[in-house]
Amino acid sequence: MFKLEPRPAPSKVLTLASPLIALAITVVIGVVLFMSLGKDPVAGLRMFFIEPLKSGYALSELSLKATPLILIALGLSVCFRANLWNIGAEGQFILGAIFAGGVAMRATPETGAWIFVLVLLAGMVGGMLWAAIVALLRDRFNASEILVSLMLVYVAEMLLSYLVYGPWKDPAGYNFPQTITFLDATRVPKIFQGFRLNIGVFIALAAVVGFTIFLFRTFAGFQLQVGGLAPAAARYAGFSSRKALWTALLVSGGMAGLAGALDVAGPQGQLTPYVPLGYGFAAIIVAFVGRLHPVGIVFSAVLMSMFYIGGELAQSRLGLPKALTGVFQGMLLFALLACDTFIHQRLRWVASK
């Protein structure tokens, strides 16, 4: 029978090239998928890899979608490096949007532009509070952060539905489940007129620099990574596992909440039941494809945004189902995991006794 055994020395070149190999495998599978659906594979691949880069407007939309993915994936990379599996970033994203929307709805026509900062801070607080529930249950009762964070996503969705169908519903909104449209003072400032791209992209790039310094140039980042790679060594060195737990989850929740605030106060402009866009789950793939490195996360977020836009274009122009975006995301993650498995392990035939 076949058996996997660890390689003595995994190839460093293949380890770095693994995301590119996984992307190539995804493209090949995509070609087969398009052909099986009776569509021109060249036209299908053009929707995913050419059209999102074709014009200034397309690039602005690409950056707009990449911004929340970068922010959430940065926070998740801290958790994953600390060996904490925060799977509920989507719920923290929603709570960030709720808190940001609550502040935005308090604005009046006389409110100054300073409230925009409060909107973003409120989003971060909302995400951190939702992640704090996970940290508390893990810290005090040793509850699985995977299950708790994931289940809290559905609680967040129900809370959002309650608000937009109930106390926060716009009385002049023709009974649609939505809040009032936020005033201009609370909206994220746009960079160019005629484009939806806003200053959130600069916030994301600043966060990339900040997280690079935090993870690789600070003692706190070193403590987190040692705790994740070698818990016994971390305990021997006197590093606090509780501090690492709370720091990682609060940072991750804060970044997801910030992404929710930027989204709801940016392109959406109000709270609706459709605030959850799947960014929290897609960011898990972004983090791993980017090798949990802030710079790599930028490139993987751009790639994932191309999948989002390509899926929308394939639906409108080629008549393909919207679920194709999720299919490409899943294939990329599956191919990456398969590549990593065979890079670090080899398949060997062992004769059965």
Side-chain angles (χ1 to χ4, degrees):
M1 62 179 179
F2 288 104
K3 181 181 179 181
L4 285 173
E5 62 179 24
R7 294 182 184 274
S11 171
K12 293 183 178 180
V13 175
L14 289 178
T15 300
L16 294 175
S18 179
L20 296 178
I21 298 173
L23 177 60
I25 294 174
T26 303
V27 170
V28 172
I29 298 176
V31 169
V32 175
L33 181 62
F34 287 130
M35 294 177 65
S36 64
L37 293 173
K39 303 295 182 181
D40 181 6
V42 176
L45 293 177
R46 187 170 65 247
M47 295 296 107
F48 282 87
F49 297 102
I50 302 298
E51 294 296 330
L53 307 172
K54 199 172 182 179
S55 64
Y57 180 79
L59 289 173
S60 71
E61 291 295 303
L62 186 70
S63 302
L64 187 69
K65 290 187 178 296
T67 295
L69 291 175
I70 292 173
L71 291 172
I72 301 172
L74 286 173
L76 290 178
S77 68
V78 174
C79 273
F80 296 155
R81 283 180 176 272
N83 202 23
L84 292 168
W85 300 93
N86 178 16
I87 309 299
E90 182 77 359
Q92 295 144 27
F93 176 92
I94 296 171
L95 260 291
I98 290 175
F99 272 60
V103 173
M105 288 189 294
R106 303 286 295 179
T108 64
E110 292 77 27
T111 304
W114 54 266
I115 197 172
F116 159 67
V117 179
L118 292 182
V119 169
L120 297 187
L121 291 176
M124 294 183 69
V125 170
M128 292 173 72
L129 288 177
W130 213 239
I133 299 175
V134 182
L136 178 64
L137 294 177
R138 168 65 188 273
D139 184 22
R140 297 298 300 273
F141 305 103
N142 199 30
S144 170
E145 72 274 13
I146 297 176
L147 295 177
V148 174
S149 60
L150 184 60
M151 293 299 100
L152 283 175
V153 173
Y154 303 103
V155 178
E157 291 178 347
M158 294 298 101
L159 178 60
L160 174 64
S161 295
Y162 164 73
L163 291 172
V164 297
Y165 279 95
W168 284 5
K169 181 190 286 187
D170 182 6
Y174 302 99
N175 207 35
F176 284 103
Q178 62 190 27
T179 64
I180 60 172
T181 303
F182 302 152
L183 298 179
D184 290 340
T186 65
R187 304 291 296 276
V188 184
K190 295 181 180 179
I191 299 176
F192 303 108
Q193 292 296 328
F195 296 90
R196 296 199 303 165
L197 183 63
N198 54 52
I199 65 171
V201 67
F202 296 131
I203 296 175
L205 294 177
V208 169
V209 176
F211 273 76
T212 302
I213 296 173
F214 171 72
L215 288 173
F216 306 113
R217 293 293 184 269
T218 66
F219 185 62
F222 174 73
Q223 286 181 309
L224 284 173
Q225 296 187 74
V226 171
L229 293 172
R235 287 193 298 270
Y236 182 79
F239 297 163
S240 172
S241 59
R242 291 188 64 193
K243 181 180 178 181
L245 167 70
W246 282 92
T247 300
L249 282 170
L250 290 180
V251 168
S252 181
M255 297 305 291
L258 176 60
L262 285 170
D263 189 69
V264 77
Q268 297 203 40
Q270 60 182 168
L271 285 173
T272 70
Y274 310 107
V275 165
L277 297 171
Y279 288 148
F281 296 116
I284 299 173
I285 304 176
V286 170
F288 279 106
V289 173
R291 283 291 182 256
L292 303 182
H293 192 287
V295 177
I297 283 172
V298 174
F299 292 101
S300 59
V302 171
L303 176 63
M304 197 62 59
S305 301
M306 292 171 67
F307 287 172
Y308 271 110
I309 295 177
E312 295 170 358
L313 293 175
Q315 180 186 16
S316 61
R317 299 184 184 181
L318 300 179
L320 292 172
K322 185 180 180 181
L324 197 62
T325 299
V327 171
F328 266 86
Q329 293 175 354
M331 288 193 302
L332 179 62
L333 180 60
F334 179 81
L336 179 67
L337 294 175
C339 289
D340 286 348
T341 297
F342 288 108
I343 287 172
H344 292 87
Q345 302 181 77
R346 60 187 176 189
L347 196 63
R348 184 180 178 185
W349 172 260
V350 178
S352 58
K353 296 182 181 180

